[in-house]
Amino acid sequence: MRLDSSDVDLRGYVLTIRQTKFKKDRLVPIHASMAAALRRYVAARETTILKRDHVPFFLSLRGRRYARHTLDGVLCALGRKIGIRGATGRGPNFHSLRHRFAVQRLVAWYRAGADVQAMLPFLATYMGHASYTGTAHYLTTTPELMAVAAVRYHRSLPDGNRV
């Protein structure tokens, strides 16, 4: 929500996130496909909103920065539209997307045969945490995560101890 255009480097594939929790700045790499999507957004934005040197990156149709409650409402409506949120009650929110990201990253590392323990500091850094402790909060167990972890565990056992 607080990204300015100068914080988005679509050639270097990096976002500069300023003044996060504990007043830290950090660089967040993005995938080439994300950069391509953001380039399309910039092109669409520039055809509808007056160009200025220092502008929020994401703009409402009124040319202003989005408010948090507005984005929460959009995510809620989108969740209902695509069927992952009921007409009432809780559903996905921005915070739960961070949980999902963290868990899916672990699942991908397990599937790739990576040393997950060695990768955890990278995940913590990417998520903007000073240590693994902050990241551990996001690592909720899911059936998918437990399944890939169990496969890894059983492969590590000597043949006589396998179930």
Side-chain angles (χ1 to χ4, degrees):
M1 289 179 356
R2 295 185 329 220
L3 282 178
D4 287 331
S5 294
S6 60
D7 297 329
V8 181
D9 178 358
L10 298 177
R11 288 193 178 133
Y13 304 134
V14 68
L15 305 178
T16 302
I17 311 296
R18 301 187 190 281
Q19 298 295 299
T20 62
K21 192 186 269 189
F22 307 117
K23 306 291 184 214
K24 297 183 301 181
D25 293 350
R26 63 190 173 106
L27 301 176
V28 177
I30 59 173
H31 191 268
S33 62
M34 173 61 79
L38 292 175
R39 280 190 204 95
R40 288 190 300 274
Y41 165 77
V42 168
R45 179 190 71 191
E46 289 179 356
T47 63
T48 58
I49 299 171
L50 182 64
K51 292 182 186 180
R52 291 178 279 174
D53 288 336
H54 182 76
V55 296
F57 187 76
F58 294 108
L59 294 171
S60 71
L61 291 177
R62 294 181 181 155
R64 297 186 197 139
R65 218 178 274 281
Y66 282 101
R68 175 66 187 252
H69 71 276
T70 301
L71 294 177
D72 287 338
V74 169
L75 184 61
C76 178
L78 180 61
R80 287 189 177 120
K81 183 175 181 175
I82 64 173
I84 60 173
R85 185 180 187 128
T88 60
R90 292 189 47 85
N93 57 45
F94 287 106
H95 196 71
S96 66
L97 293 176
R98 284 179 62 85
H99 283 271
R100 179 80 175 153
F101 168 79
V103 170
Q104 287 304 112
R105 179 67 351 234
L106 289 187
V107 168
W109 283 334
Y110 273 117
R111 286 189 174 143
D115 180 347
V116 175
Q117 283 301 119
M119 298 304 289
L120 289 175
F122 294 102
L123 180 60
T125 300
Y126 188 85
M127 294 183 73
H129 300 137
S131 70
Y132 168 72
T133 306
T135 307
H137 169 73
Y138 291 91
L139 300 177
T140 53
T141 57
T142 65
E144 185 179 23
L145 178 58
M146 297 314 306
V148 294
V151 167
R152 171 77 67 91
Y153 171 73
H154 287 289
R155 284 185 185 155
S156 72
L157 295 174
D159 286 338
N161 294 327
R162 291 190 184 175
V163 179

